[in-house]
């Protein structure tokens, strides 16, 4: 999994509660991403980061916020979870060099009741 | 403008046969086209990728064919094996900078023994 860990791996929560998902990398890469995966939609970009405290929105950013206070950690927060945010969430990093492409973590399955 | 359309949604192939998955994109700024393979409960794993300066790229049994004028690209899996049974995603992006991947909807491939 390219030195990427995600926590928690599974979470069940109730509508209206705040939720924070963590992505941790061990290889000091500049770019980190959060995607969500839903049947029929493939993966869709939520937010990404291009450095400490540098973040930007992706395709489906409404209802989500992110923070990156350290190079190795990228946090995704659902301020008030809704049932439509039930999904599998993947973190990714972009490696530099010749390959220079994205590698994904193992995912977090989130269920909002 | 950002869409990537993938077909078929599901595909059943006999062992030893050729599996073919097709993708089409709209944004002419895209210049990097990776394919990801995903097994149940795992994150997507990079399989093979192509830049538009070549029309074909082969890695083992996996080949990407690229048609820039038609804005289409496809994955061919030769001598398909039961271990190839997985979900495959095509994606497209601009290679430089943030590399925000736009994914196809996915193809569930089943190889019958």
């Amino acid at each position: 999994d390219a030195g990427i860990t995600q926590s928690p791996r599974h979470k069940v929560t109730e509508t209206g509660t705040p939720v924070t998902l963590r992505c941790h990398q061990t290889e000091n890469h500049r770019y980190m991403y959060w995607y969500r995966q839903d049947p029929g939609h493939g993966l869709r970009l939520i937010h990404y980061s291009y450095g400490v405290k540098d973040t930007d929105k992706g395709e489906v950013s409404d209802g989500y916020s992110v923070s990156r206070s350290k190079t190795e950690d990228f946090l995704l927060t659902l301020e008030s979870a809704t049932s439509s945010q039930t999904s599998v969430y993947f973190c990714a990093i972009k490696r530099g060099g010749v390959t220079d492409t994205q590698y994904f973590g193992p995912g977090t399955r989130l269920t909002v009741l | 403008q950002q869409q990537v359309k993938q077909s078929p949604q599901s595909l059943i192939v006999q062992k030893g046969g050729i599996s073919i998955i097709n993708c089409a994109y709209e944004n002419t700024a895209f210049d990097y086209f990776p394919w990801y393979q995903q097994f149940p409960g795992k994150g997507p794993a990079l399989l093979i990728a192509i830049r538009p300066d070549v029309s074909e790229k082969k890695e083992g049994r996996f080949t990407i064919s690229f048609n820039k004028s038609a804005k289409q690209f496809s994955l061919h899996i030769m001598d398909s094996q039961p271990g190839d049974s997985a979900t495959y995603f095509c994606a497209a992006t601009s290679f430089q900078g943030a590399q925000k991947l736009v994914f196809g909807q996915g193809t569930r491939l089943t190889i019958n023994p």
Side-chain angles (χ1 to χ4, degrees), chain A residues 40-58:
Chain A
H41 291 278
L43 288 89
R44 292 177 291 174
L45 180 66
I46 305 171
H47 283 278
Y48 68 97
S49 170
Y50 47 97
V52 173
K53 297 185 179 178
D54 293 323
T55 64
D56 204 351
K57 295 179 179 180

Side-chain angles (χ1 to χ4, degrees), chain A:
Chain A
D1 289 326
I4 304 170
T5 57
Q6 293 185 231
S7 58
R9 294 293 314 279
H10 301 271
K11 186 171 183 66
V12 179
T13 191
E14 294 188 350
T15 298
T17 60
V19 176
T20 295
L21 308 182
R22 179 180 182 243
C23 177
H24 178 80
Q25 61 151 327
T26 59
E27 299 179 349
N28 216 36
H29 296 292
R30 178 185 175 195
Y31 285 94
M32 298 183 76
Y33 309 79
W34 277 108
Y35 291 86
R36 62 178 288 175
Q37 182 176 24
D38 305 288
H41 291 278
L43 288 89
R44 292 177 291 174
L45 180 66
I46 305 171
H47 283 278
Y48 68 97
S49 170
Y50 47 97
V52 173
K53 297 185 179 178
D54 293 323
T55 64
D56 204 351
K57 295 179 179 180
E59 179 186 354
V60 290
S61 60
D62 287 349
Y64 302 95
S65 62
V66 290
S67 64
R68 192 171 178 196
S69 58
K70 298 184 292 184
T71 300
E72 59 266 34
D73 289 326
F74 191 31
L75 304 181
L76 176 70
T77 297
L78 292 65
E79 300 289 348
S80 178
T82 67
S83 58
S84 65
Q85 294 176 311
T86 293
S87 186
V88 181
Y89 292 86
F90 288 100
C91 174
I93 56 93
K94 187 177 81 159
R95 283 179 169 159
V98 176
T99 53
D100 202 2
T101 191
Q102 291 180 38
Y103 294 84
F104 286 79
T108 294
R109 181 173 294 275
L110 176 67
T111 301
V112 183
L113 300 176

Side-chain angles (χ1 to χ4, degrees), chain B residues 90-111:
Chain B
C90 63
T93 188
S94 297
F95 186 74
Q96 297 299 327
Q99 206 185 83
K100 295 181 286 184
L101 289 171
V102 179
F103 281 85
Q105 297 87 340
T107 297
R108 179 171 291 184
L109 175 64
T110 301
I111 308 299

